Amino acid sequence: MASLTLTPLFHSPTFLSSNTNTHTVTKKLSFPSPTRRRLLVNGKEYRSRRRSLVLRRSAVDDVPVLDPPPPPPPDSSESDKTELIASLKLKLLSAVSGLNRGLAANTDDLQKADAAAKELEAVGGPVDLSVGLDRLQGKWRLLYSSAFSSRTLGGNRPGPPTGRLLPITLGQVFQRIDILSKDFDNIAELELGVPWPLPPVEVTATLAHKFELIGSSNIKIIFEKTTVKTTGNLSQLPPLELPRFPDALRRPSDTRSGEFEVTYLDNDTRITRGDRGELRVFVIT
């Protein structure tokens, strides 16, 4: 019978480690080269060679975990500006209060209101409606118009006078702006005196316009029509649309259209300056 002898020549494996700090470390398991086995069959020797074996394994070193840095402190300059604007808005509102939207303003009142508005405009900075037109959206109530000091409802434009000649009492005045339809309506609540013993007639006059943005902060309005609607005891009456005068019969100054600049605008306050020098202050309703 054939004689079979298996003699392994096996040495303990050697791990070659690296001292690197990377997360993946190569560990090499190797045998002396060549690593052989001797196989004897009937006195004849056969040898086999085993290849080196390379193993990779994942190693996670101890990495210290640092807390994230604290958030930066709030910008004190921005906070100071917000407080300053709030103070200047209060100053402006105090300057125009009690002036009956400007109808009771004298020269000194006009100067104080203009100076307070300029302070707020300077701190607020330029208005750019090309990127913030939606801030115009809504119904704005007029607090003050320097044009009303002329004692006419048209201000620096043609309009009915107030006083004893025409017993017209001005109520609230609004601007209603729709940025999608480009509607721009001036709305005035009026009380019309009638002979005694009849009660005064309350009406709401709406001057409808379309508007377009000129540049970054100028608004151009184009007159369309005037509608009068009775309120109070006569609210059941339908609205009346007043006819327009032919352009040939209208005075050159009576264009019913105009242009103004928005000089200050935030979420609840708006200041405008018209093409005839009118200063107007509005608050959102």
Side-chain angles (χ1 to χ4, degrees), residues 129 133-134 136-137 176-185 208-214 218-224 258 260:
L129 296 177
L133 188 62
D134 58 320
L136 285 180
Q137 179 74 28
R176 183 172 56 208
I177 304 174
D178 190 325
I179 63 171
L180 298 180
S181 63
K182 303 301 182 182
D183 289 334
F184 191 103
D185 299 335
H209 301 77
K210 290 293 185 179
F211 82 92
E212 59 182 278
L213 179 63
I214 307 296
N218 282 30
I219 299 291
K220 181 180 180 181
I221 57 174
I222 301 94
F223 174 77
E224 290 195 325
F260 62 87

Side-chain angles (χ1 to χ4, degrees), residues 8 40 42-43 53 55 58 84 122 136 153 166 169 171 185 190 215 222 224 231 246 253 262 268:
L40 297 178
N42 292 330
L53 179 62
L55 300 179
S58 175
L84 179 58
L136 285 180
L153 298 183
L166 287 177
T169 302
D185 299 335
L190 303 172
I222 301 94
E224 290 195 325
T231 59
S253 60
V262 180
D268 55 25

